[in-house]
Amino acid sequence: MDPADAVPEDGLHRRLTEISHEEQSDPSRAALSAKDLALYIAVTLGITVIGFLVLAL
């Protein structure tokens, strides 16, 4: 018998709910806002343009 089988189903469901709430409140797992996404794209494109300019010149 597997030791995991001894854990009751309601205990597993409760633990899954706890983990879900912890992850939802974690700011590192939050979706990017439009402002943050635009900033990320601008920085990425800026670095790419600078890289091409350095190679071209």
Side-chain angles (χ1 to χ4, degrees):
M1 181 175 177
D2 190 359
D5 293 339
V7 178
E9 184 178 346
D10 60 340
L12 292 175
H13 188 277
R14 185 176 61 249
R15 181 65 182 138
L16 181 60
T17 304
E18 289 173 12
I19 292 171
S20 177
H21 283 103
E22 287 174 11
E23 288 184 354
Q24 288 177 356
S25 64
D26 186 4
S28 68
R29 296 187 181 272
L32 289 176
S33 67
K35 181 181 174 184
D36 291 335
L37 185 59
L39 179 63
Y40 172 79
I41 291 171
V43 169
T44 304
L45 288 176
I47 292 171
T48 302
V49 168
I50 290 172
F52 280 126
L53 288 174
V54 167
L55 287 174
L57 299 177

